């Protein structure tokens, strides 16, 4: 078999990984499916130190009960166990998973969509396979197939994107937002290197506020605060959703504009994909 023929079998790898992943998911033997899933609650919240990195999130201590033994565990997170917590208050519930019999190896999971079913990995393999097929069709059959393939991909991505649904849900929650005083108690700092060896400094203010029900909330605010690097000690107003204090904004108007841009981007993807499909079909 020539090297060209071997390259023509590139699709075997992502297709095989996808089939293997879906098979393991159906059999219920993926790591996430074999793990123990429990609801944990935050029992202690610490304030990130001024100048520290935002990557670990807000250090919290969580408590949960192992269903197998009934034993209660109270363990610190400190950003080393799974997803970083960016909105924290005592009593907040979080999803936690860990290997059976090893609760100290817990992982916090903020977004459980696709995680519990074990389909995240194979879904990614399918996306890679589809992109590869489009590129392959472009090389073998030419320009019209490139338009058809990429148009179909863009249309599919726009159709399955959760962005519009998430924006609408957020807007619905913030429609009844409550405004309360808040304060920037620390500012995290991260330094990144760009392609030209220059440094990019990113700041994220740590904001605290108290809800009308008396819940003290600490959040790592990434957007909506002007000049974040100079915001330490600044007093401001936070608008939060009464049903979920994790949904908040320091600038409702800017938040709505950001949501509108997200929706416009998805609509643009859909229109661009549709136009590419029509053009590709017309030029076949």
């Amino acid at each position: 078999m020539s090297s060209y023929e071997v390259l023509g079998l590139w699709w075997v790898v992502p297709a095989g990984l996808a089939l293997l992943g879906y098979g393991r998911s159906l059999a219920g033997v993926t790591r996430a499916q074999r793990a123990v899933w429990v609801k944990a609650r935050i029992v202690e919240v610490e304030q990130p130190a001024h100048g520290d990195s935002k990557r670990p999130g807000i250090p919290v201590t969580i408590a949960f009960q192992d269903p197998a033994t009934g034993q209660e565990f109270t363990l610190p997170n400190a950003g080393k166990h799974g997803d970083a917590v960016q909105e924290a208050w005592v009593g907040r519930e979080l999803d936690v998973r860990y290997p059976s019999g090893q609760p100290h190896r817990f992982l916090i999971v903020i977004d459980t969509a696709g995680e519990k079913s074990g389909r995240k990995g194979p879904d990614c393999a399918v996306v890679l396979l589809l992109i590869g097929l489009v590129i392959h069709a472009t090389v073998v059959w030419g320009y019209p197939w490139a338009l058809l393939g990429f148009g179909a991909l863009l249309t599919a991505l726009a159709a399955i994107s959760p962005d519009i649904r998430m924006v609408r849900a957020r807007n619905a929650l913030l429609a009844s937002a409550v405004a309360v005083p808040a304060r920037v108690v620390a500012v995290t700092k991260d330094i990144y290197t760009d392609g030209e060896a220059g440094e990019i400094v990113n700041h994220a203010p740590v904001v605290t506020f108290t809800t009308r029900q008396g819940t003290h909330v600490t959040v790592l605010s990434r957007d909506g605060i002007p000049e974040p690097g100079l915001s330490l000690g600044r007093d401001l107003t936070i608008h939060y959703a009464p049903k979920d204090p994790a949904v908040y904004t320091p600038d409702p108007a800017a938040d709505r504009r950001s949501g509108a841009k997200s929706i416009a981007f998805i609509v643009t993807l859909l229109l661009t994909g549709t136009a590419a499909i029509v053009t590709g079909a017309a030029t076949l």
Side-chain angles (χ1 to χ4, degrees):
M1 182 180 290
S2 67
S3 59
Y4 181 80
E5 290 174 322
V6 172
L7 287 174
L9 296 175
W10 64 267
W11 56 270
V12 173
V13 175
L17 290 174
L19 288 173
L20 177 63
Y22 287 128
R24 285 170 54 81
S25 175
L26 288 172
V29 296
T30 65
R31 182 179 297 180
Q33 290 172 304
R34 289 184 285 110
V36 178
W37 287 83
V38 296
K39 283 287 186 181
R41 67 187 184 281
I42 296 176
V43 295
E44 185 179 346
V45 179
E46 297 179 34
Q47 178 182 308
H50 180 65
D52 277 2
S53 171
K54 68 176 177 292
R55 294 189 188 97
I58 300 170
V60 298
T61 300
I62 63 171
F64 58 89
Q65 187 179 58
D66 183 9
T69 64
Q71 183 178 356
E72 183 87 9
F73 291 87
T74 302
L75 301 168
N77 174 41
K80 299 178 181 178
H81 295 268
D83 295 335
V85 179
Q86 299 189 32
E87 303 89 18
W89 61 89
V90 173
R92 183 187 182 187
E93 289 192 337
L94 300 169
D95 286 294
V96 164
R97 70 175 176 91
Y98 55 87
S100 180
Q102 302 179 66
H104 287 84
R105 293 179 58 190
F106 74 92
L107 296 175
I108 292 176
V109 183
I110 301 296
D111 183 8
T112 60
E115 184 75 23
K116 289 186 177 181
S117 64
R119 291 197 297 266
K120 259 188 177 179
D123 285 348
C124 289
V126 168
V127 171
L128 292 175
L129 175 63
L130 292 176
I131 293 174
L133 287 174
V134 170
I135 296 173
H136 185 83
T138 302
V139 173
V140 175
W141 294 316
Y143 174 71
W145 284 97
L147 289 174
L148 282 171
F150 281 107
L153 276 179
L154 290 178
T155 303
L157 288 173
I160 66 175
S161 172
D163 288 6
I164 294 179
R165 182 177 69 253
M166 292 171 64
V167 168
R168 288 176 174 172
R170 181 178 177 84
N171 288 343
L173 286 171
L174 289 175
S176 57
V178 176
V180 294
R183 186 175 180 83
V184 178
V185 295
V187 179
T188 63
K189 180 180 179 180
D190 289 278
I191 300 176
Y192 304 93
T193 302
D194 61 21
E196 299 178 355
E199 288 187 345
I200 300 174
V201 181
N202 178 268
H203 294 97
V206 179
V207 179
T208 61
F209 63 91
T210 303
T211 68
R212 294 281 180 85
Q213 289 72 36
T215 301
H216 186 69
V217 181
T218 302
V219 300
L220 191 61
S221 181
R222 294 176 179 267
D223 301 297
I225 298 179
E227 298 183 317
L230 303 175
S231 63
L232 180 63
R234 185 183 302 171
D235 292 319
L236 43 86
T237 299
I238 285 290
H239 304 258
Y240 74 92
K243 292 183 179 180
D244 184 4
V247 180
Y248 70 93
T249 177
D251 189 340
D255 194 85
R256 287 191 294 271
R257 287 194 298 270
S258 177
K261 288 179 181 178
S262 296
I263 292 176
F265 177 73
I266 297 301
V267 172
T268 301
L269 279 184
L270 183 61
L271 294 176
T272 303
T274 303
I277 292 174
V278 173
T279 305
T283 55
L284 278 177

